[in-house]
Amino acid sequence: MPDPLRLGIAGLGTVGIGVVKIIRQHAAVLEARTGRKIEISAVSARSKDKDRGVPLTSYGWEDDPVALATRDDVDVFVELMGGSDGPAKAATEAAIAAGKDVVTANKAMLALYGQPLAEQAENAGRVIRFEAAVAGGIPVVKALTEGLAGNEIQRVMGVMNGTCNYILTQMQDTRQGYNALFAEADKLGYLEADPNLDVGGIDAGHKLALLASIAFGTQVDFDAIELEGIQNITLEDIDAAQDMGYKIKLLGVTQMTGRGLEQRMSPCLVPDSSPLGQLDGGTNMVVIEGDQVGQIVLRGAGAGEGPTASAVMSDILDIARGIRVSTFGQPANTLVTAKPAKATTPAPYYLRMMLQDKPGALAKVASVLGEAGISIDRMRQYGHDNTSAPVLIVTHKTTRDSLDTALKGFETIDVMETAPVAIRIEQL
């Protein structure tokens, strides 16, 4: 019988305690599935005395996660503290230097420092596994690095932030506005300490950067992602989308094009009959398109104690079985630096704008669009008063460059009361 696999767990929040519970409750099953015992040697957190609902006295305790990461009785350092740098990064680096494998749920750290950390680990003969960092309980990292490794990946897209999907779904279902549902999500504990990480698309952007690296063999480049959050989405947008047979989702899309690597995280209209359109509440979905398998759809809980702890355990069990995969699916020193590219595939766009209610306003808008080479598919004016006229326009297919030209052109005409909202209608 092989020696037990000994864990050091840093971070005893929701996910950390979830991992402890799985190891305590399913010890026999885990041993049967891996052929060796999974044991916790020691743990670390900010407070030793806090009641976490699980007995921890049988484990060693370290106030300093770096000390935990370098203990002789730890084989795998499980980093569940979060934070892009600080203690999480320092302890991860210390663990690798001390000859430990690392399992982490820290998307921010890997999105910003994944390349040097992967190189450090692989040079030391260690592995970094991060299934829990992307889409909670959905095994999308394993799908890309292992199950679909024989494919040339053509596109990866998905809804990767449950909080944003919850807010957008509730706007349609409850008829409440964004601000009211933002407050509700905060009360329910759905928002990060910095809410902009969620509603600004940053959290989902971190996840997209990691998936892009695996899918296309490129170095992680979070800074190259085009980011736009959901803060400007209104009930009018939700209703207009529904009238046209669409739902609004914060959608991440990455694909390699002739101009470079496209990475964008932004609100999009998707057909309400599509798998993404039918995704409600806090659920996540990732769609992978490969040249051999076609389209694969993965759907499941994107956060929470059980789903995320389950993903952490899948990485731990792989290490226990002796399965060792490069951090991003191929050796870090072979990952190329991708040229960033804006969306090149033409698509229709939804435009919402508030015009001054005076003669010639619509003509000026149409002129700006025409000068940018954009034609109008349909247009609707509704609810205008004596001074303002809300207008909705759906364009025919156009490029993002042409749309940006039009948006800049709108700044030069004197009929706009507010900056227009532009949302891509994604082709699925």
Side-chain angles (χ1 to χ4, degrees), residues 343-357:
T344 56
T345 306
Y349 281 84
Y350 161 96
L351 300 174
R352 173 173 57 82
M353 57 193 72
M354 185 70 73
L355 304 182
Q356 295 177 16
D357 192 8

PDB file of all heavy atoms in Angstrom, residues 343-357:
ATOM      1  N   ALA A 343     -12.656  41.337 -31.762  1.00  0.00           N
ATOM      2  CA  ALA A 343     -13.594  40.462 -32.454  1.00  0.00           C
ATOM      3  C   ALA A 343     -13.610  40.802 -33.940  1.00  0.00           C
ATOM      4  O   ALA A 343     -13.856  41.937 -34.335  1.00  0.00           O
ATOM      5  CB  ALA A 343     -14.986  40.614 -31.865  1.00  0.00           C
ATOM      6  N   THR A 344     -13.332  39.811 -34.779  1.00  0.00           N
ATOM      7  CA  THR A 344     -13.289  40.034 -36.221  1.00  0.00           C
ATOM      8  C   THR A 344     -14.508  39.460 -36.938  1.00  0.00           C
ATOM      9  O   THR A 344     -14.804  39.870 -38.054  1.00  0.00           O
ATOM     10  CB  THR A 344     -12.017  39.403 -36.809  1.00  0.00           C
ATOM     11  OG1 THR A 344     -11.981  38.010 -36.464  1.00  0.00           O
ATOM     12  CG2 THR A 344     -10.775  40.078 -36.274  1.00  0.00           C
ATOM     13  N   THR A 345     -15.169  38.505 -36.314  1.00  0.00           N
ATOM     14  CA  THR A 345     -16.333  37.899 -36.951  1.00  0.00           C
ATOM     15  C   THR A 345     -17.481  38.906 -36.954  1.00  0.00           C
ATOM     16  O   THR A 345     -17.904  39.370 -35.892  1.00  0.00           O
ATOM     17  CB  THR A 345     -16.765  36.627 -36.203  1.00  0.00           C
ATOM     18  OG1 THR A 345     -15.655  35.746 -36.090  1.00  0.00           O
ATOM     19  CG2 THR A 345     -17.911  35.942 -36.922  1.00  0.00           C
ATOM     20  N   PRO A 346     -18.008  39.258 -38.119  1.00  0.00           N
ATOM     21  CA  PRO A 346     -19.124  40.210 -38.148  1.00  0.00           C
ATOM     22  C   PRO A 346     -20.333  39.655 -37.404  1.00  0.00           C
ATOM     23  O   PRO A 346     -20.595  38.449 -37.414  1.00  0.00           O
ATOM     24  CB  PRO A 346     -19.418  40.360 -39.648  1.00  0.00           C
ATOM     25  CG  PRO A 346     -18.158  39.958 -40.336  1.00  0.00           C
ATOM     26  CD  PRO A 346     -17.568  38.881 -39.477  1.00  0.00           C
ATOM     27  N   ALA A 347     -21.061  40.528 -36.757  1.00  0.00           N
ATOM     28  CA  ALA A 347     -22.262  40.140 -36.013  1.00  0.00           C
ATOM     29  C   ALA A 347     -23.208  41.328 -35.984  1.00  0.00           C
ATOM     30  O   ALA A 347     -22.775  42.485 -36.088  1.00  0.00           O
ATOM     31  CB  ALA A 347     -21.905  39.721 -34.585  1.00  0.00           C
ATOM     32  N   PRO A 348     -24.494  41.066 -35.842  1.00  0.00           N
ATOM     33  CA  PRO A 348     -25.422  42.183 -35.625  1.00  0.00           C
ATOM     34  C   PRO A 348     -25.233  42.749 -34.229  1.00  0.00           C
ATOM     35  O   PRO A 348     -24.770  42.051 -33.315  1.00  0.00           O
ATOM     36  CB  PRO A 348     -26.800  41.537 -35.796  1.00  0.00           C
ATOM     37  CG  PRO A 348     -26.591  40.087 -35.552  1.00  0.00           C
ATOM     38  CD  PRO A 348     -25.177  39.771 -35.925  1.00  0.00           C
ATOM     39  N   TYR A 349     -25.593  43.999 -34.045  1.00  0.00           N
ATOM     40  CA  TYR A 349     -25.498  44.654 -32.743  1.00  0.00           C
ATOM     41  C   TYR A 349     -26.828  45.306 -32.385  1.00  0.00           C
ATOM     42  O   TYR A 349     -27.565  45.778 -33.256  1.00  0.00           O
ATOM     43  CB  TYR A 349     -24.393  45.716 -32.735  1.00  0.00           C
ATOM     44  CG  TYR A 349     -23.013  45.141 -32.585  1.00  0.00           C
ATOM     45  CD1 TYR A 349     -22.324  44.664 -33.689  1.00  0.00           C
ATOM     46  CD2 TYR A 349     -22.402  45.065 -31.337  1.00  0.00           C
ATOM     47  CE1 TYR A 349     -21.049  44.125 -33.561  1.00  0.00           C
ATOM     48  CE2 TYR A 349     -21.126  44.529 -31.196  1.00  0.00           C
ATOM     49  CZ  TYR A 349     -20.459  44.063 -32.313  1.00  0.00           C
ATOM     50  OH  TYR A 349     -19.199  43.534 -32.179  1.00  0.00           O
ATOM     51  N   TYR A 350     -27.084  45.287 -31.096  1.00  0.00           N
ATOM     52  CA  TYR A 350     -28.238  45.979 -30.522  1.00  0.00           C
ATOM     53  C   TYR A 350     -27.747  47.312 -29.977  1.00  0.00           C
ATOM     54  O   TYR A 350     -26.747  47.359 -29.246  1.00  0.00           O
ATOM     55  CB  TYR A 350     -28.816  45.094 -29.407  1.00  0.00           C
ATOM     56  CG  TYR A 350     -29.709  45.762 -28.398  1.00  0.00           C
ATOM     57  CD1 TYR A 350     -31.090  45.730 -28.526  1.00  0.00           C
ATOM     58  CD2 TYR A 350     -29.170  46.402 -27.270  1.00  0.00           C
ATOM     59  CE1 TYR A 350     -31.916  46.314 -27.570  1.00  0.00           C
ATOM     60  CE2 TYR A 350     -29.973  46.991 -26.310  1.00  0.00           C
ATOM     61  CZ  TYR A 350     -31.347  46.938 -26.474  1.00  0.00           C
ATOM     62  OH  TYR A 350     -32.151  47.521 -25.522  1.00  0.00           O
ATOM     63  N   LEU A 351     -28.423  48.406 -30.339  1.00  0.00           N
ATOM     64  CA  LEU A 351     -28.063  49.730 -29.862  1.00  0.00           C
ATOM     65  C   LEU A 351     -29.263  50.362 -29.162  1.00  0.00           C
ATOM     66  O   LEU A 351     -30.368  50.370 -29.716  1.00  0.00           O
ATOM     67  CB  LEU A 351     -27.635  50.632 -31.022  1.00  0.00           C
ATOM     68  CG  LEU A 351     -26.440  50.193 -31.871  1.00  0.00           C
ATOM     69  CD1 LEU A 351     -26.263  51.133 -33.054  1.00  0.00           C
ATOM     70  CD2 LEU A 351     -25.176  50.157 -31.027  1.00  0.00           C
ATOM     71  N   ARG A 352     -29.033  50.873 -27.974  1.00  0.00           N
ATOM     72  CA  ARG A 352     -30.071  51.646 -27.276  1.00  0.00           C
ATOM     73  C   ARG A 352     -29.527  53.033 -27.023  1.00  0.00           C
ATOM     74  O   ARG A 352     -28.411  53.188 -26.506  1.00  0.00           O
ATOM     75  CB  ARG A 352     -30.456  50.988 -25.947  1.00  0.00           C
ATOM     76  CG  ARG A 352     -31.410  51.865 -25.108  1.00  0.00           C
ATOM     77  CD  ARG A 352     -31.910  51.144 -23.873  1.00  0.00           C
ATOM     78  NE  ARG A 352     -30.849  50.664 -23.002  1.00  0.00           N
ATOM     79  CZ  ARG A 352     -30.213  51.409 -22.103  1.00  0.00           C
ATOM     80  NH1 ARG A 352     -30.490  52.696 -21.984  1.00  0.00           N
ATOM     81  NH2 ARG A 352     -29.285  50.871 -21.335  1.00  0.00           N
ATOM     82  N   MET A 353     -30.318  54.039 -27.382  1.00  0.00           N
ATOM     83  CA  MET A 353     -29.855  55.412 -27.209  1.00  0.00           C
ATOM     84  C   MET A 353     -31.025  56.321 -26.831  1.00  0.00           C
ATOM     85  O   MET A 353     -32.190  56.014 -27.117  1.00  0.00           O
ATOM     86  CB  MET A 353     -29.187  55.913 -28.487  1.00  0.00           C
ATOM     87  CG  MET A 353     -30.059  55.841 -29.716  1.00  0.00           C
ATOM     88  SD  MET A 353     -29.120  56.083 -31.260  1.00  0.00           S
ATOM     89  CE  MET A 353     -28.214  54.545 -31.360  1.00  0.00           C
ATOM     90  N   MET A 354     -30.709  57.402 -26.184  1.00  0.00           N
ATOM     91  CA  MET A 354     -31.694  58.415 -25.812  1.00  0.00           C
ATOM     92  C   MET A 354     -31.407  59.662 -26.634  1.00  0.00           C
ATOM     93  O   MET A 354     -30.349  60.278 -26.499  1.00  0.00           O
ATOM     94  CB  MET A 354     -31.614  58.735 -24.322  1.00  0.00           C
ATOM     95  CG  MET A 354     -32.683  59.700 -23.846  1.00  0.00           C
ATOM     96  SD  MET A 354     -34.343  58.987 -23.846  1.00  0.00           S
ATOM     97  CE  MET A 354     -34.218  57.878 -22.422  1.00  0.00           C
ATOM     98  N   LEU A 355     -32.352  59.994 -27.512  1.00  0.00           N
ATOM     99  CA  LEU A 355     -32.171  61.141 -28.393  1.00  0.00           C
ATOM    100  C   LEU A 355     -33.019  62.318 -27.933  1.00  0.00           C
ATOM    101  O   LEU A 355     -34.063  62.141 -27.286  1.00  0.00           O
ATOM    102  CB  LEU A 355     -32.578  60.776 -29.819  1.00  0.00           C
ATOM    103  CG  LEU A 355     -31.898  59.576 -30.468  1.00  0.00           C
ATOM    104  CD1 LEU A 355     -32.395  59.397 -31.890  1.00  0.00           C
ATOM    105  CD2 LEU A 355     -30.381  59.724 -30.435  1.00  0.00           C
ATOM    106  N   GLN A 356     -32.588  63.494 -28.294  1.00  0.00           N
ATOM    107  CA  GLN A 356     -33.438  64.671 -28.118  1.00  0.00           C
ATOM    108  C   GLN A 356     -34.605  64.555 -29.093  1.00  0.00           C
ATOM    109  O   GLN A 356     -34.426  64.190 -30.261  1.00  0.00           O
ATOM    110  CB  GLN A 356     -32.648  65.944 -28.380  1.00  0.00           C
ATOM    111  CG  GLN A 356     -31.527  66.187 -27.389  1.00  0.00           C
ATOM    112  CD  GLN A 356     -30.720  67.420 -27.721  1.00  0.00           C
ATOM    113  OE1 GLN A 356     -31.153  68.262 -28.511  1.00  0.00           O
ATOM    114  NE2 GLN A 356     -29.535  67.534 -27.126  1.00  0.00           N
ATOM    115  N   ASP A 357     -35.810  64.839 -28.614  1.00  0.00           N
ATOM    116  CA  ASP A 357     -37.005  64.690 -29.444  1.00  0.00           C
ATOM    117  C   ASP A 357     -37.182  65.943 -30.307  1.00  0.00           C
ATOM    118  O   ASP A 357     -37.935  66.855 -29.978  1.00  0.00           O
ATOM    119  CB  ASP A 357     -38.226  64.455 -28.556  1.00  0.00           C
ATOM    120  CG  ASP A 357     -39.435  64.011 -29.361  1.00  0.00           C
ATOM    121  OD1 ASP A 357     -39.270  63.748 -30.564  1.00  0.00           O
ATOM    122  OD2 ASP A 357     -40.534  63.922 -28.785  1.00  0.00           O
TER     123      ASP A 357
END
